[in-house]
């Protein structure tokens, strides 16, 4: 007997997509003409568009109308056909032209789709679901002729939509019937209120976005936008497609996690898994307190900057490496680079495993530190608003003139997010000539960030005088970030990075 | 395993009991071949005797099906299991649970007890080997505490048997 659908049929929309026309490559030729007009697109930027629910609905309607004209089918039937073909227009039209009956049948339409749905009263009718045979009962059937009373049909639809979240592929309640209940029939059977309350239209739209590879919902809570981006899954080892939703959320189109440039998705997956597995040691690492290297008094870090000054003995040191700060600010800054252990040590197996743990901890420490600092910076950002009002009243600056604090704070958040991921990236990076440049870029960005972060600890009355300096530092931070991302993305695209692990 | 689940079940809705009464009448007039409804006063739980079809692996064997109806039958599928001993079949677990799509995902409110019975007999008849499903032990272990088969996310075995 038949337990599922027939898999051997020649009509198949889920198969390979080699026939797809690649629109991205199609307009490469125009690049040269635009070069003089607009700035070159950075290597780490990808093309994308943000769509509102109305846009998505509009797109859907437009495509349905277009295909409806070609196929000569009514809009509802065309919508079913398109959903069935997962919105692959070209394939649908081709298949439809070849074997119309089979396509219609498999999509759950059957012949004669032109008749509008209507309710009927039929003499001597008994509903097979509730066994009611009262006179004058309203009944409904699609063209498959499986007729049930309106109440049963309605209850069935509500259950499918509300409880099972179905919309595009609700089948006729008849036994073994594959006929799909189209939206016009649903509209006839359910009141507008009922349709709204069970979010039928939203569910329909949802399948449109879910079905299309170039569309993804913004993962931010309560965000209703969808993002359109052409980057394919198979390209994720050489490009990190960060997109920016209109709601302000920056996320990776590949894996929908929070922006993780410059680290490619496969490494992000590995890194997060590793951090999860090693969380015991990580717990130890992320302890929030340290001792002053000079006087041993306990210090809790409560701001984003790594430059620590002991309250007690006034010793200035770096939170990361606990080294003397005076050695950091000037010519050398050894806080971002892990000095590889000498080969001599590594020969000993025990030393090797210790070195590998130490190496991981080195990178994890810095990764976690930026995560933590970003959180602390955010706290400061919340206080910034207060500072901005204070500044307005104390220095007579206008609202627009104090916006530099807001800009600085946002730049800081963004740079920390990038810095954080540079450490996961570096952990998997195998050493070659390019890694030096990467580490220099990382170091520069880190210094720029720490410098800016430090400024937030100044008191309000000092801030007004530091406005220009702060703006400069903000610009510098952003610039360093772009340089780093541009370099890593460019080399990733060209396959110049060598990693310790496979990018799968 | 069998009595606890009925106690927690809600009483049948009006539609459900109407429909079941009609089904019962229909069954008495025209019972599916190979099945016998064991008369009880409980409309919400039917116990049905199944006779293996002649010429199949289960010829001359008798099994018992237990059918429990939910409050919103027939919008919701009934819970159908074999009472011990369950027949040896690649889609029937030793605890009596049956892997058959119409009992779960593909249930339609237009189906009846009678049509479900026929599907089950057809499933038995087309079997070529008397054995348990491959994952029997693991599945049965997971189903302790009287878990209903309707709570399982089934993926259906091949459609040849």
């Amino acid at each position: 007997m038949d337990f599922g659908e027939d898999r051997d049929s020649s009509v198949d929309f889920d198969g390979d997509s080699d026939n797809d026309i690649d629109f991205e490559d199609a307009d490469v030729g125009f690049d040269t003409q635009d070069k003089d007009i607009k700035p070159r697109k950075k290597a780490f930027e990808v093309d994308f568009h943000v769509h509102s629910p109305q846009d998505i609905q509009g797109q859907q309607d437009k495509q349905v109308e277009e295909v409806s004209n070609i196929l000569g089918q009514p809009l509802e039937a065309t919508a079913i056909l398109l959903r069935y073909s997962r919105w692959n227009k070209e394939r649908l039209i081709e298949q439809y032209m070849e074997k119309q009956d089979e396509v219609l049948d498999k999509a759950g339409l059957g012949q004669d789709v032109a008749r509008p749905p209507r309710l009927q009263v039929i003499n001597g009718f008994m509903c097979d679901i509730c066994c009611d045979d009262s006179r004058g009962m309203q009944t409904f059937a699609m063209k498959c002729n499986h007729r049930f009373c309106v109440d049963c049909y309605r209850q069935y639809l509500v259950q499918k939509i509300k409880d099972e979240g179905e919309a595009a592929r609700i089948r006729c309640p008849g036994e073994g019937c594959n006929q799909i209940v189209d939206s016009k029939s649903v509209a006839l059977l359910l009141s507008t209120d009922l349709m709204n309350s069970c979010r039928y239209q939203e569910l329909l739209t949802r399948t449109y976005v879910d079905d299309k590879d170039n569309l993804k919902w913004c993962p931010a809570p309560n965000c209703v936008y969808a993002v359109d981006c052409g980057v394919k899954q198979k390209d994720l080892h050489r490009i990190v497609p960060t997109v920016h939703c209109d709601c302000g959320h920056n996320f990776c189109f590949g894996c929908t996690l929070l922006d993780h440039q410059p680290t490619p998705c496969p490494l992000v997956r590995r890194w997060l898994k590793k951090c999860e597995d090693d969380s015991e040691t990580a717990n130890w690492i992320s302890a929030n307190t340290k001792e002053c290297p000079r006087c041993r008094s306990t210090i809790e870090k409560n701001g984003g900057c790594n430059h620590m000054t002991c309250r007690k003995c006034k010793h200035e040191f770096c939170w990361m490496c606990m080294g003397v700060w005076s050695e950091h600010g000037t010519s050398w800054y050894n806080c971002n680079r892990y000095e590889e252990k000498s080969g001599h040590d590594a020969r000993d197996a025990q030393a090797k495993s210790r070195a590998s743990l130490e190496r991981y901890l080195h990178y994890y420490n810095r990764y976690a530190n930026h995560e933590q600092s970003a959180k602390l910076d955010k706290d400061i950002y919340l206080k910034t608003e207060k500072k901005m009002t204070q500044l307005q009243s104390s220095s007579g600056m206008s609202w627009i003139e104090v916006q530099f604090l807001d800009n600085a704070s946002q730049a800081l958040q963004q740079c920390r997010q990038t810095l954080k991921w540079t450490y996961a990236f570096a952990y998997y990076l195998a050493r070659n000539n390019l890694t030096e440049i990467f580490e220099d870029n990382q170091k520069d960005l880190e210094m720029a960030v720490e410098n800016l972060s430090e400024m937030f600890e100044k008191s309000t009355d000092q801030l007004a005088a530091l406005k220009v300096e702060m703006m400069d530092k903000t610009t510098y931070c952003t610039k360093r970030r772009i340089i780093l991302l541009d370099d890593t993305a460019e080399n990733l695209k060209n396959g110049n990075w060598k990693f310790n692990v496979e990018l799968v | 395993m069998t009595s606890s689940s009925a106690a927690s079940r809600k009483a049948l809705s009006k539609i459900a009991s109407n429909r079941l009464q009609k089904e019962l009448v229909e069954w008495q007039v025209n019972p599916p071949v190979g099945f016998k409804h064991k008369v009880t006063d409980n409309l919400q739980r039917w116990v049905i005797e199944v006779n293996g079809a002649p010429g199949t692996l289960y010829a001359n064997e008798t099994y018992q099906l237990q059918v429990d109806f939910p409050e919103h039958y027939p919008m919701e599928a009934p819970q159908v299991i074999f009472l011990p001993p369950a027949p040896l079949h690649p889609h029937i677990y030793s605890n009596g649970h049956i892997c058959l799509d119409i009992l779960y995902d593909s249930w339609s409110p237009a189906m009846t007890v009678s049509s479900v019975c026929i599907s089950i007999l057809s499933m038995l008849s087309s079997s070529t080997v008397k054995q348990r499903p491959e994952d029997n032990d693991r599945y049965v272990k997971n189903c302790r505490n009287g878990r209903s088969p309707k709570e399982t996310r089934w993926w259906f075995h091949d459609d040849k048997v």
Side-chain angles (χ1 to χ4, degrees), chain A residues 1-4 126 128-131 133 148 152 155-156 159 171 173-175, chain B residues 15 18-19 22 74-75 100-101 106 108-111 115 119 122-123 159 161:
Chain A
M1 68 174 298
D2 192 11
F3 285 83
M126 188 194 79
D128 274 344
I129 295 178
C130 61
C131 297
D133 54 3
F148 304 99
C152 284
Q155 206 188 328
Y156 172 77
Q159 188 197 321
R171 288 190 296 188
E175 185 177 345
Chain B
I15 291 176
N18 265 350
R19 152 103 179 217
K22 295 247 171 153
M75 286 301 161
L100 178 62
D101 63 346
S106 301
S108 137
M111 288 181 192
S115 65
S119 289
S122 137
M123 185 179 98
D159 52 6
V161 185

Side-chain angles (χ1 to χ4, degrees), chain A residues 1-7 126-133 146 148 151-157 159-160 163-164 166 171-177, chain B residues 15 18-20 22-23 72 74-76 91 99-102 105-112 115-116 119-120 122-123 126 156-161:
Chain A
M1 68 174 298
D2 192 11
F3 285 83
E5 54 185 318
D6 177 14
R7 296 215 170 76
M126 188 194 79
C127 173
D128 274 344
I129 295 178
C130 61
C131 297
D132 193 349
D133 54 3
H146 294 115
F148 304 99
D151 286 343
C152 284
Y153 227 115
R154 187 174 295 142
Q155 206 188 328
Y156 172 77
L157 290 178
Q159 188 197 321
K160 285 282 168 197
D163 301 351
E164 296 169 33
E166 275 194 58
R171 288 190 296 188
C172 162
E175 185 177 345
C177 182
Chain B
I15 291 176
N18 265 350
R19 152 103 179 217
L20 278 173
K22 295 247 171 153
E23 273 197 57
H72 294 296
M75 286 301 161
E76 284 172 41
H91 297 172
C99 178
L100 178 62
D101 63 346
I102 57 155
D105 304 15
S106 301
W107 167 256
S108 137
M111 288 181 192
T112 61
S115 65
V116 167
S119 289
I120 290 175
S122 137
M123 185 179 98
S126 52
F156 298 99
H157 293 98
D158 66 284
D159 52 6
K160 287 188 255 341
V161 185

Side-chain angles (χ1 to χ4, degrees), chain A residues 63-257:
Chain A
Q63 289 200 33
V64 170
E65 204 181 316
E66 218 178 281
V67 177
S68 164
N69 286 334
I70 298 172
L71 302 186
Q73 290 278 9
L75 293 176
E76 273 67 33
T78 311
I80 292 177
L81 284 168
L82 275 167
R83 280 183 203 116
Y84 162 69
S85 69
R86 302 203 168 267
W87 298 89
N88 189 333
K89 253 191 332 203
E90 290 77 16
R91 192 89 58 90
L92 170 67
I93 293 167
E94 193 183 302
Q95 299 265 17
Y96 184 87
M97 295 307 174
E98 258 176 52
K99 8 182 198 276
Q100 179 172 347
D101 290 350
E102 195 180 337
V103 172
L104 284 175
D105 202 48
K106 295 218 82 184
L109 284 166
Q111 287 81 37
D112 182 27
V113 285
R115 209 169 33 160
R118 63 198 178 99
L119 302 181
Q120 272 182 295
V121 177
I122 292 188
N123 280 336
F125 174 82
M126 188 194 79
C127 173
D128 274 344
I129 295 178
C130 61
C131 297
D132 193 349
D133 54 3
S134 326
R135 274 169 167 276
M137 193 167 56
Q138 293 268 29
T139 69
F140 179 77
M142 289 180 296
K143 62 186 165 300
C144 57
N145 260 324
H146 294 115
R147 188 167 292 280
F148 304 99
C149 77
V150 168
D151 286 343
C152 284
Y153 227 115
R154 187 174 295 142
Q155 206 188 328
Y156 172 77
L157 290 178
V158 170
Q159 188 197 321
K160 285 282 168 197
I161 300 168
K162 223 174 199 160
D163 301 351
E164 296 169 33
E166 275 194 58
R169 296 177 181 95
I170 304 176
R171 288 190 296 188
C172 162
E175 185 177 345
C177 182
N178 283 326
Q179 180 85 27
I180 304 282
V181 187
D182 60 285
S183 53
K184 224 172 197 170
S185 300
V186 174
L188 175 75
L189 289 161
L190 302 186
S191 65
T192 321
D193 281 355
L194 206 49
M195 270 171 79
N196 287 343
S197 80
C198 59
R199 305 168 63 223
Y200 176 70
Q201 202 56 46
E202 275 168 81
L203 286 167
L204 266 191
T205 313
R206 215 148 247 286
T207 62
Y208 176 74
V209 174
D210 292 342
D211 279 350
K212 291 193 80 113
D213 289 340
N214 62 326
L215 286 175
K216 280 212 170 89
W217 294 106
C218 169
N222 298 323
C223 179
V224 293
Y225 293 113
V227 175
D228 183 342
C229 176
V231 174
K232 305 230 163 53
Q233 286 291 319
K234 65 175 183 341
D235 293 329
L236 289 179
H237 65 281
R238 50 182 208 104
I239 193 158
V240 189
T242 297
V243 295
H244 314 284
C245 180
D246 284 359
C247 72
H249 187 66
N250 297 337
F251 67 98
C252 169
F253 189 80
C255 61
T256 67
L257 292 175

Side-chain angles (χ1 to χ4, degrees), chain B residues 81-155:
Chain B
I81 58 171
F82 274 103
L83 293 177
L88 271 174
H89 184 281
H91 297 172
I92 300 170
Y93 292 89
S94 55
N95 61 359
H97 291 191
I98 308 164
C99 178
L100 178 62
D101 63 346
I102 57 155
L103 296 178
Y104 314 105
D105 304 15
S106 301
W107 167 256
S108 137
M111 288 181 192
T112 61
V113 183
S114 172
S115 65
V116 167
C117 284
I118 291 166
S119 289
I120 290 175
L121 189 60
S122 137
M123 185 179 98
L124 281 178
S125 301
S126 52
S127 171
T128 54
V129 52
K130 276 190 166 182
Q131 63 176 39
R132 289 279 174 232
E134 252 171 50
D135 58 338
N136 186 67
D137 291 351
R138 186 165 45 90
Y139 177 75
V140 171
K141 210 167 128 194
N142 278 333
C143 285
R144 283 179 196 164
N145 326 321
R147 196 171 81 155
S148 157
K150 290 176 80 179
E151 287 160 37
T152 305
R153 293 292 295 163
W154 293 93
W155 60 270

Side-chain angles (χ1 to χ4, degrees), chain A residues 297 299 309-315:
Chain A
S297 47
I299 296 169
T309 309
C310 176
R311 273 278 162 83
K312 228 169 172 181
C313 68
K314 308 287 177 216
H315 177 59

Side-chain angles (χ1 to χ4, degrees), chain A residues 10 13 35 39 72 75 103 106 137 147 191 199 210 215 226 266 280-281 284 294 333 345 362 410 428 488:
Chain A
S10 53
F13 289 97
K35 214 192 308 193
L75 293 176
V103 172
K106 295 218 82 184
M137 193 167 56
R147 188 167 292 280
S191 65
R199 305 168 63 223
D210 292 342
L215 286 175
E280 277 315 305
T281 34
W284 169 77
R294 192 200 267 169
Y333 183 86
D345 276 350
H362 166 91
Q410 288 194 21
Y428 291 111
T488 44

